[in-house]
Structure formats: C-alpha cells, structure tokens
Amino acid sequence: MATRPFFVPQKEIDLIDSFNEELIDNILSQYVDIYKVSVENTEENLYGESSTKYFDKGFRVNCLISFEEPTIEQNDFGPDMNANLELYFHRTTLKDENFYPEMGDIVDWNDIYWEINAVTEPQLIAGHQAFKHMIKAVANRARLSGLQIEERPR
C-alpha cells in the first residue's frame, strides 16, 4: 500500500492544505467557541451516568459554517424552533492545536448554543485514506435549560 496518492505529489497536498488554511483562517475568519465536556468534574452515579454536565473552558477555532433555515414545529406547549448547523474544520489546523471536536461538545455561534451530533471526515485528497483533509461536524440547536449553563453578566 502506497503512503501517498500515486499521481498527487506531496507538494500538491501541501499546496491544497495551505490554500484552505489561508481561506478559512485569514480570508473568511468565521469562528466558533467549542466547549468540551469536563470528565474530571462530572459526578457519576452507580451506573456511570450523570444528571449534570460540566464543560471545560471554550476553545475558539476557525471554520466554515453552513446554517440551515430554522423550522418551526407546533406542539402542546407552543411553537418550537429547530435549526441545524454544519461546521467544516481544516484538519491540519486542528491537529496542530491538538484538538478534535466530538459528539456531545457544545458550540457557541451567533449567541446560540449548539450540540454536536455527528463528526465525520468525508473529504480525502485524491481519494486516499491517508490524506483526510476536512472534519465535518453537524450540530443542532440546544436548549439552555437542558445544558444548565449559566452566563456571566457582561
């Protein structure tokens, strides 16, 4: 098995990486704050479950953001707004920062909290598994009451 794509030299891979890093970090400059669940501070019961989650300090990371138009659903308690968010991260940048988004992480974007539901790496350079290029995270809007997050007054 080859260590790199046969028809794509390492120079080309490095060029693609540098273009995408510059686009995401310097030109678009979209960012989110991601809060990881703090495993050390979360208390568990006998079954390894927790009634509350504690989050570590937020990590600011640049990414591409795709916001889907919200949908309104009517239920017994009144209208409920649902929305989804797709986040596209440059894998090399996250690797350099030793950070990886995971399911259950909380994202703060546009003064709304989102919970990551899925994380995939769908984009491969030249279709080669050794050259994963992008990390895609799908998040849905989270309720503050479910997160038990208290905001500090500004």
Side-chain angles (χ1 to χ4, degrees), residues 114-132:
W114 308 81
E115 184 174 3
I116 295 179
N117 297 327
V119 178
T120 59
E121 298 186 40
Q123 191 175 37
L124 307 174
I125 296 177
H128 197 278
Q129 296 173 0
F131 292 99
K132 297 177 180 172

Side-chain angles (χ1 to χ4, degrees), residues 49-136:
E49 300 168 340
S50 176
S51 59
T52 58
K53 291 182 188 177
Y54 296 96
F55 296 93
D56 290 332
K57 185 178 178 185
F59 180 79
R60 182 162 286 178
V61 61
N62 292 335
C63 63
L64 297 175
I65 300 169
S66 175
F67 175 67
E68 295 179 16
E69 187 174 334
T71 58
I72 307 292
E73 296 176 5
Q74 191 69 25
N75 58 29
D76 295 338
F77 301 107
D80 190 20
M81 184 171 77
N82 295 321
N84 290 327
L85 191 68
E86 291 182 357
L87 308 163
Y88 299 94
F89 301 100
H90 186 236
R91 189 174 195 277
T92 307
T93 303
L94 293 184
K95 186 176 180 181
D96 292 344
E97 296 292 331
N98 196 23
F99 182 83
Y100 193 88
E102 298 173 308
M103 287 177 54
D105 290 351
I106 299 299
V107 176
D108 182 7
W109 177 73
N110 197 21
D111 295 328
I112 299 172
Y113 290 103
W114 308 81
E115 184 174 3
I116 295 179
N117 297 327
V119 178
T120 59
E121 298 186 40
Q123 191 175 37
L124 307 174
I125 296 177
H128 197 278
Q129 296 173 0
F131 292 99
K132 297 177 180 172
H133 182 67
M134 171 185 72
I135 298 171
K136 176 184 175 184

